[in-house]
Amino acid sequence: MKSRIIAAVALAAALSVVVSTASGGNKSAGKSSATSITVWLMTDAQNGWPTAVANATSQFQAQHPGVNVNVQYQSWDSVLQKFDASIAASDTPDVIELGNTQTAKYMAAGAFQAIKPKNYPNSSTWLAGLKQSCSYGGHTYCVPYYAGARAVIYRKDLYRSVGFKSAPKTYSQFMTIGKKLMKKYGSNPNFSALYEPGQNWYVAMSYVADYGGQIAVNKGGKWQGVLNSPQAIKALTAFKSMTLSFSRASKTNDEAHPYPSVPFAKGRAAAFIGNGWEWPYVFNPKGGAAPASFAKKMGAYPMPSHIVGRYMPTFLGGSDIGIPVQSKNKSLAADWVKAFTGTASETLIAKAGNIANSTKLLGVNAKNPALAPFARAAKYSWFVPAAPNWVNVENANILKTMCSAIVTNRASIKSATNKADSQITKILNAKS
Amino acid sequence: MSSRSPAAAASVAASFPPRRRPLGRRLRRASVPYGLLLPASAVIAAVLAYPLYYLVRLSFQHYGLFQLVRHKGEAIGTANYAQIFHDSLFWHTLLRTVAVTAVCVVLTVLFATLIALLLAELSSWVRLLLTAGLIFVWATPVVVAISIWSWMIDFEFGVANWTLTKLGVGNFNHHDWLANPWSGWGVIISLIVWGAIPFVAITLFAGLTQVSSELLEAAAIDGAGRWRAFRDITLPLLKPIYVIVISLSIIWDFQVFNQVWLITNTTPSPDYYVMAVYAYVTSFKISEYGLGSAIAVVMVAIMALISVFYIRQMVKLGDVE
């Protein structure tokens, strides 16, 4: 019977598919030959400060002629998963950048080689916040790379057109400007007074910090999610009402899909909350390719707090550079890290809109009107709970899901925070 | 499949009259089929059996990042299974996966049957055009297809919102399809079914061409309507093909991952968890490899049960002939 032959062919086709899906694996990371080292950096360096990377590599190669430096750029979405795969295969990169909220888990697991800070440039003046994110159990496991604070990047001309010649000093001014902007330009359905993607938990948690709330607290050795505290609920209520009144960004995407600089560069947003490096990124072809005339119209200011005279605390983000314990070229790796985190490269990194890793270099941007507001914003800051498992909360998208649920009205703030709290409590207390 | 081959070999051997041969020769003859099976068995052992063994072993261990760095897990018995069976998220996910699979399979087979019947009726150049269209859908890599669908439902510039607004269905400006899980799942299921139809439709059409037209004509003369002819002649004749495409569809749809993972920008909320996504997040996002393996083992067990049912069906069909 022909139909049985057809069935058999179909079955054969199917089995080949099953086999191929079962064998999907991960590509290995780096080479182990001493003529080459593999470096994993985030795409931020590729987009924002490629010159600093080139500078470090040429400095390194002057010291080690003939050693190739293979820099591979990674995305935040997938870097940890790829790093884990490389650990499983004992084939890690020799140098890796991790975010300062990600390092704790890897230090606790013993994935990094301990280092001696005194062997690294400017270690006596490393930024305290970053230095802390590299310390675990009395040892140092990574080198501070750079820090960043977020501020409001805005269009001066649009603010002026609704009667504000200078940046808002108080939260109520900030809200008034937003309302006036929406009244004047809001008939364009794509216009946002403040472009704020619904999953941007960094901003939501800044509100929480501003109202005196916290994400989680440690009580007698046990972690507990506390986003259902009255302060946090008040904060998230303010966050929700601001987002719904001012933003036409997607409520189910985060601040990298798309980068807010894109709608901003296209004239569809009067402002967005971004890192220092996102200012120049507005002119980058990938960041929206704003016309050069934009430069004169742009400004930045620290987000004002609801408490008059203060700024809203900003997330003190940043990155560190570590040497995986499985690297076969640790001393070469260390030399590249020294070159990349030394004064020359860090100066270039700072000029691209970041806070350099050393207090010695804080003066680099002091006279730059574009970047000074970011340094001022950093005066009030918050950081994630100091639990080794914290990054799993990020990886499981708990706060993104919560923020999305709140701004889409899928859940009340109370039920969304209760749900997030129980998940956070579970993850932070999990045995590692 | 491998279980059928020795049976076939045996039936070939049985068709020869039993004549005594020297023992050595008999042994050699008897070992030939098994020898022929060796390479395939070795490949299956390497790519399926070993990973499966490893998966099961991992599911009885505490295996996190700490253990990963040292390449050594900690045996903890059935604790991982106890944890998932007491986790409401697991049961919700399982239920959702079953429901999504059922809806996808029913829609796929229904639309594919209609298209196959349509193909049989069309003039040859229209049929060629339609088949080409189906092949294009089939040939589109799934990642590309998902990106295109993402653009179409983009909340800001998507053609779906634009069209619906222009057609006066309502104001779909800035409608976010993924904000509500029901509409989000509507999109994902459409995407899965859209991608699954071509294979099933073309396979069913191939089967339809084998249904003898005399039978249908005879039925028509006896006064059977088209529905009656389809139900009593075409459908029974195509049963082996239906069994196979339905079982394949169940297997494919039960382990769906890409469509969910990519359309939610790799950040699905738990409302979008299916078994594969849940196992993936647990293993690779939270680094609970042991727990993730336990979820995967449950998934494999369910799939094995489904497979047993369908293999039995296939064997039964073989016996009838």
Side-chain angles (χ1 to χ4, degrees), chain A residues 51-77:
Chain A
T51 49
V53 181
N55 176 71
T57 298
S58 66
Q59 203 178 317
F60 169 82
Q61 282 172 334
Q63 201 182 346
H64 301 284
V67 178
N68 186 32
V69 179
N70 181 9
V71 180
Q72 298 173 352
Y73 291 102
Q74 309 292 332
S75 83
W76 288 107
D77 294 342

Side-chain angles (χ1 to χ4, degrees), chain B residues 101-112:
Chain B
T101 305
V103 172
C104 285
V105 171
V106 168
L107 290 178
T108 304
V109 172
L110 184 71
F111 282 113

Side-chain angles (χ1 to χ4, degrees), chain A residues 294-352:
Chain A
F294 246 62
K296 274 183 286 182
K297 299 178 194 164
M298 278 171 65
Y301 59 88
M303 178 81 174
S305 161
H306 77 290
I307 301 164
V308 176
R310 282 177 49 160
Y311 304 136
M312 184 176 283
T314 176
F315 170 65
L316 194 70
S319 273
D320 303 311
I321 304 244
I323 299 170
V325 73
Q326 288 159 321
S327 159
K328 292 169 188 87
N329 306 304
K330 292 197 184 79
S331 81
L332 284 174
D335 284 344
W336 190 88
V337 174
K338 284 172 199 165
F340 192 50
T341 57
T343 304
S345 294
E346 284 287 341
T347 305
L348 293 168
I349 293 167
K351 280 184 177 158

Side-chain angles (χ1 to χ4, degrees), chain A residues 159 162-164 168 170-184 193 246:
Chain A
Y159 273 44
V162 292
F164 281 82
T170 64
Y171 190 72
S172 69
Q173 274 176 12
F174 168 82
M175 292 301 284
T176 310
I177 295 177
K179 279 174 196 149
K180 287 191 169 171
L181 284 168
M182 290 314 282
K183 203 166 169 198
K184 184 156 183 180
F246 296 165

Side-chain angles (χ1 to χ4, degrees), chain A residues 163-289:
Chain A
F164 281 82
K165 291 199 175 65
S166 60
K169 295 263 182 320
T170 64
Y171 190 72
S172 69
Q173 274 176 12
F174 168 82
M175 292 301 284
T176 310
I177 295 177
K179 279 174 196 149
K180 287 191 169 171
L181 284 168
M182 290 314 282
K183 203 166 169 198
K184 184 156 183 180
Y185 302 103
S187 58
N188 170 359
N190 291 326
F191 177 84
S192 299
L194 184 90
Y195 191 88
E196 172 56 20
Q199 290 192 340
N200 192 350
W201 63 278
Y202 297 107
V203 172
M205 292 304 116
S206 289
Y207 273 78
V208 169
D210 195 34
Y211 281 78
Q214 279 174 294
I215 301 173
V217 291
N218 194 326
K219 279 186 193 151
K222 271 257 181 208
W223 285 97
Q224 198 186 342
V226 289
L227 285 168
N228 60 1
S229 71
Q231 294 96 323
I233 287 184
K234 217 167 147 193
L236 291 168
T237 310
F239 164 76
K240 177 179 175 178
S241 109
M242 185 280 290
T243 305
L244 293 187
S245 338
F246 296 165
S247 174
R248 263 96 175 243
S250 164
K251 296 182 177 75
T252 54
N253 270 339
D254 62 19
E255 69 289 351
H257 298 96
Y259 282 111
S261 60
V262 176
F264 183 78
K266 307 275 184 221
R268 290 190 278 113
F272 69 97
I273 297 175
N275 279 299
W277 63 265
E278 287 179 84
W279 175 304
Y281 198 55
V282 168
F283 301 95
N284 186 301
K286 279 193 256 172

Side-chain angles (χ1 to χ4, degrees), chain A residues 83-168:
Chain A
F83 185 36
D84 291 359
S86 78
I87 291 173
S90 297
D91 196 8
T92 59
D94 300 299
V95 175
I96 185 170
E97 167 188 355
L98 286 188
N100 58 348
T101 64
Q102 300 174 328
T103 47
K105 176 178 166 186
Y106 288 83
M107 293 192 296
F112 285 139
Q113 179 65 35
I115 60 152
K116 287 200 173 68
K118 66 173 171 30
N119 295 340
Y120 287 80
N122 300 330
S123 56
S124 58
T125 53
W126 277 347
L127 292 183
L130 289 182
K131 199 173 154 185
Q132 203 186 336
S133 70
C134 280
S135 314
Y136 183 82
H139 294 280
T140 304
Y141 289 93
C142 51
V143 177
Y145 171 17
Y146 71 92
R150 286 170 169 82
V152 184
I153 297 172
Y154 76 114
R155 285 270 300 276
K156 286 180 178 168
D157 56 331
L158 295 183
Y159 273 44
R160 219 174 287 133
S161 75
V162 292
F164 281 82
K165 291 199 175 65
S166 60

